[in-house]
Amino acid sequence: MFRNQYDTDVTTWSPAGRLFQVEYAMEAVKQGSAAIGLRSKTHVVLACVNKANSELSSHQRKIFKVDDHIGVAIAGLTADGRVLSRYMRSECINYGYTYESPLPVGRLVVQLADKAQLNHKACGVAARPVGNVDGIPFTPGSTFLTLKSHFTCWQVCTQRSWKRPYGVGLLVAGLDESGAHLYYNCPSGNYFEYQAFAIGSRSQAAKTYLERKFENFTGSSRDELIKDALFAIRETLQGEKLTSSVCTVAVVGVGEAFNILDQATVQALINEFEISGEEGPANESVAEEAGGDAGGAAPTEAGAATEQETAPMDI
């Protein structure tokens, strides 16, 4: 069902200067299961909520390893998240092969944001040129496939009516020579660096907790970051008991390659930190969230908050 006459394709601007198809992609992120990231000077922690379509199925992976120093957590359309994580992995491999050094996190994030706008795809050319084209020699006997392999066509997702934006948001955690980084990549192509951030359904409760604690994150140790990540994840569960089966935690830091903690380790940490499933460390944050939602929450956010299971298309 269309909102109005200006959302039939991604190339149509509304009189208010909005692209509704891009906004719909951003709504898909809000309906996905929650993902959280927070960083200190030396470590970055990613955590996400595992939700299955039914009791008979397994949950979709929400955290992916890109390289030894980079990983991502996603919220939104899982299929798009897999495509983008595979693209990031390829970029890291190519950069390492060419320069024999790890790809800087900021550079990869910029390339990822550009891919949200541009879809790099080879395209054929009908004519066969003779002579040099961009330094590439061609003769009348040159094959069409050779010509095709040297030319690329940039198809713009937000400027072609037959393209669509990626319906997934990514939290990119990484460590490079400049330190630890946490970025959020939006379906619109925007990207932001954060000290801590949460995306997905019911993420406002986690944001409220992180906003009260973020000043201490810079000097936090690895275990303290994991503890705060688990507390923030529990805030999104709204009373559901936090166990290792409903969340995934990953860490990257100085002297530690990006790795996803196994369930036994996560459960041991939950028990060690005495994180119960019934009471949160910030009950007032839930009250603040309820008050804020009652004051001015958008109807789409209210609809997403009422979803108890994952939204359609495994998001």
Side-chain angles (χ1 to χ4, degrees):
M1 180 178 64
F2 297 125
R3 179 183 297 179
N4 54 46
Q5 60 181 327
Y6 300 105
D7 65 354
T8 55
D9 59 63
V10 75
T11 62
T12 303
W13 289 91
S14 73
R18 300 167 63 182
L19 290 172
F20 287 107
Q21 288 288 333
V22 176
E23 294 183 13
Y24 295 161
M26 296 168 67
E27 288 295 324
V29 178
K30 296 180 182 179
Q31 296 182 31
S33 56
I36 294 170
L38 54 162
R39 69 178 174 95
S40 66
K41 290 183 178 179
T42 57
H43 290 81
V44 188
V45 173
L46 297 177
C48 68
V49 177
N50 300 330
K51 287 292 185 180
N53 285 336
S54 70
E55 297 180 357
L56 302 177
S57 67
S58 62
H59 63 83
Q60 292 280 345
R61 287 183 57 194
K62 298 292 183 179
I63 296 181
F64 300 92
K65 178 179 179 179
V66 175
D67 203 349
D68 286 340
H69 67 299
I70 298 178
V72 296
I74 66 172
L77 190 59
T78 308
D80 285 354
R82 289 198 305 269
V83 169
L84 292 177
S85 64
R86 188 163 55 246
Y87 164 79
M88 297 170 68
R89 195 174 297 119
S90 175
E91 289 298 312
C92 287
I93 292 173
N94 292 337
Y95 187 92
Y97 179 81
T98 304
Y99 299 102
E100 297 183 355
S101 63
L103 176 60
V105 183
R107 179 177 298 186
L108 178 61
V109 169
V110 172
Q111 293 175 352
L112 183 63
D114 290 342
K115 187 171 177 61
Q117 295 288 327
L118 305 173
N119 190 9
H120 189 259
K121 187 175 183 181
C123 66
V125 181
R128 292 175 177 170
V130 177
N132 293 329
V133 179
D134 292 337
I136 303 170
F138 288 100
T139 64
S142 297
T143 63
F144 177 74
L145 291 178
T146 302
L147 177 62
K148 182 177 180 180
S149 66
H150 286 91
F151 281 86
T152 56
C153 177
W154 289 92
Q155 294 181 326
V156 186
C157 290
T158 57
Q159 297 178 10
R160 298 290 186 270
S161 60
W162 62 87
K163 309 295 287 186
R164 68 167 177 82
Y166 290 105
V168 65
L170 294 92
L171 292 176
V172 183
L175 184 74
D176 55 24
E177 294 179 352
S178 60
H181 301 279
L182 175 67
Y183 291 92
Y184 169 58
N185 278 79
C186 181
S188 64
N190 293 323
Y191 62 93
F192 310 91
E193 184 169 12
Y194 286 92
Q195 186 71 42
F197 197 57
I199 58 177
S201 63
R202 308 191 190 102
S203 60
Q204 185 56 48
K207 288 180 185 177
T208 304
Y209 173 79
L210 295 174
E211 287 169 358
R212 290 203 323 275
K213 300 286 186 178
F214 81 95
E215 294 181 353
N216 302 324
F217 291 161
T218 302
S220 296
S221 65
R222 174 184 183 273
D223 289 344
E224 289 172 342
L225 280 183
I226 296 176
K227 179 179 180 180
D228 283 317
L230 291 173
F231 273 122
I233 281 291
R234 190 184 62 179
E235 291 293 311
T236 68
L237 299 179
Q238 294 186 344
E240 183 181 348
K241 185 176 181 180
L242 176 64
T243 63
S244 60
S245 61
V246 299
C247 67
T248 301
V249 180
V251 185
V252 62
V254 176
E256 181 178 9
F258 184 87
N259 66 98
I260 300 175
L261 305 183
D262 58 68
Q263 286 194 359
T265 302
V266 174
Q267 188 61 52
L269 290 171
I270 292 174
N271 297 335
E272 178 184 351
F273 298 145
E274 298 180 351
I275 304 176
S276 63
E278 304 301 329
E279 298 179 359
N283 289 331
E284 66 271 16
S285 68
V286 179
E288 292 172 5
E289 179 196 1
D293 289 343
T300 53
E301 293 180 11
T306 57
E307 275 192 286
Q308 299 300 320
E309 300 296 335
T310 55
M313 297 188 297
D314 294 327
I315 63 174

